[in-house]
Amino acid sequence: MAQWLRKAFPHEDWLVILLGALVLATCASLVRWDSEPTPSRNLAGKPTPKPAVVNYAKGTIAKLEKWASNPLRAFVSGDQAKKPYQHFPALVLTWSVLGILLVPVGLWKGIRPIEYWTGFLVLTLLGTLAFVMASQEVIKQYNYEYVLWALLLGLLISNTVGVPQSIRPMLIGDTLIKLGLVLLGAEVLFNKLVALGPPGIFTSWIVTPVVLISTFWFGQRVLKMDSPSLNMVISADMSVCGVSAAIATGAACKAKREEISYAIGISLLFTSLMMVVQPQFVLWSGMDKNVGAAWMGGTIDSTGAVAAAGAVLGKDAETIASTVKMIQNVLIGVIAFAVAAYWSMAYGGNDNAEENVCLDPGEPAYWTMAYGGNDNQQKIGLGEIWKRFPKFVLGFLAASLAFSFLLPAMGVPSGAIETITKDTVTPLRSWLFCLAFVAFGLETNFRELGKYLKEGKPLLLYVLGQAWSMILSLAMAYWMFGVLYADKVKEILAK
Amino acid sequence: MRWLKLMAGCAVLGFVWLWILPQVAQYRRVREHLELLDRRNINAGAMYYTEVEEHR
């Protein structure tokens, strides 16, 4: 089965897109509406014809209640007439849906059933606890979202007792985030994407290459780094999108495996700090949230961390941050291509060639994608760009197109589309993000990351490059989302 | 030692969520504010995020 899945889906992202499509199709098929309009009245008292919509899946994905001093109240509806702990069945159903939904991912990754279900149970228990923590009334009042507590719980375990080997294969945070982002596509209607496109492109496509080139130049000329490939990998993972950019450019410039691991380590360390600190800075400084979100989308390394940081600022901010990040992600292939071309001209394509081996297959698809199996011969062409393109972005776009145009064209009323996204897709996506952040926390060990702080020049390069990136991104985000497109973005998001 | 650290971490979280936060919620001004939100059925998120609907 696992072999068949790997053959059918050579890249994990295709499987993620299929699962996302299945979820969206199932959610949509559980909604019914009357073709005869049922009259209702708007605020002005005027009758407005509105089709009656029934969502049979409403309430099946657990959303916890606010509580004051007894956390068990999180599982009790505010409506006292109803049975206590009524959210438990929904909770069990949610866990079951997620558990079954992720089985193909487990098979694709070759996770053994015992490891899959043990790991899944740990993730869901910690995820549920994170939701309970976020539902405390004072916490809820200040909107400290579940992602923070999911990360905190994961970090607490990984940095004290550590994570047992039997659970490690299920730490599939990146996959969960990709699936969540495909579902997010259904919530972000295409007109919003189009509106966010030009300022997003300016924010990420202009700043990113400038930061990449200037940081690489700085590393070579000012810091005089010994290894140009380490310089390039750090510059790319800091300016583009963390792990996948480090791997893709690492392959392009034939970096040593320890150089890629090192760059990824620094990136993880700073990403885990930035995704907590940056949204708090935006809130503290009183910065416009749209500008702050675009800024975070352009500077925080990984897509998942950007989504989490954006979620702290609200739904619109999450949309903007994720969109800017995904626009930036598209650059991975182009940048890897450009680096490969530059390397073969500048270094004759021989730098570290003998060291170019596959790394640990924690993300098998990435390694295969980046290194093309064990082929050390660098190939440059359109096929290479396509190979390195983050394909889940296509799932996000397809979901957005389907919910913006296809469903309305098929006669699905706006009320039905609203209940599909609001009552089923959004809660399910929140659970996926929550589990992803538990996994990210469990994967982050400060002791291991701490060793990167002891190194000199590469760390300095990352810090200075990131500071430079933050300054340029903030300026561009302010200009685009705060000045040039400010009104247009607000107007579209308000619709 | 590692387990001790974990237990200490859990104890801190438990203390904050089960004692400190409920105490904070009992402060007159905080209580009044929370009750006002409840009475008017106002979504707390709307105070911080303009896109959140004001009423639940």
Side-chain angles (χ1 to χ4, degrees), chain A residues 66 133 141 289 312-313 315, chain B residues 17 33 38 48-49 51:
Chain A
K66 192 172 73 176
M133 290 166 80
Q141 186 198 354
K289 289 199 181 65
V312 175
L313 298 185
K315 201 165 184 310
Chain B
W17 260 261
H33 186 64
D38 266 350
Y48 304 95
Y49 313 128
E51 79 280 5

Side-chain angles (χ1 to χ4, degrees), chain A residues 410-421:
Chain A
M410 289 164 68
V412 180
S414 60
I417 295 175
E418 192 185 323
T419 182
I420 294 167
T421 52

Side-chain angles (χ1 to χ4, degrees), chain B residues 7-26:
Chain B
M7 282 161 64
C10 292
V12 170
L13 289 182
F15 180 67
V16 171
W17 260 261
L18 299 175
W19 198 80
I20 292 186
L21 289 172
Q23 292 296 317
V24 171
Q26 291 312 313

Side-chain angles (χ1 to χ4, degrees), chain A residues 15 20 24 197 216 371 479:
Chain A
L15 179 63
L24 294 176
F216 180 70
Y371 290 90
W479 190 33

Side-chain angles (χ1 to χ4, degrees), chain A residues 222-258:
Chain A
V222 181
L223 291 180
K224 299 195 184 306
M225 285 183 64
D226 297 332
S227 166
S229 51
L230 176 61
N231 182 1
M232 177 54 80
V233 175
I234 290 177
S235 304
D237 91 336
M238 176 270 300
S239 59
V240 193
C241 55
V243 178
S244 19
I247 295 162
T249 48
C253 68
K254 306 197 169 189
K256 293 176 185 172
R257 66 184 281 168
E258 56 267 28

Side-chain angles (χ1 to χ4, degrees), chain A residues 76 82 101 187 235 280 301 306 329 362 435 449 482:
Chain A
V76 185
K82 293 181 182 173
L101 175 70
E187 299 167 49
S235 304
Q280 297 307 324
D301 288 349
V306 166
N329 281 347
L435 301 194
L449 292 177

Side-chain angles (χ1 to χ4, degrees), chain B residues 21-38:
Chain B
L21 289 172
Q23 292 296 317
V24 171
Q26 291 312 313
Y27 278 115
R28 192 174 56 84
R29 288 184 65 176
V30 177
R31 189 76 259 152
E32 280 174 5
H33 186 64
L34 289 170
E35 281 171 3
L36 178 80
L37 296 179
D38 266 350

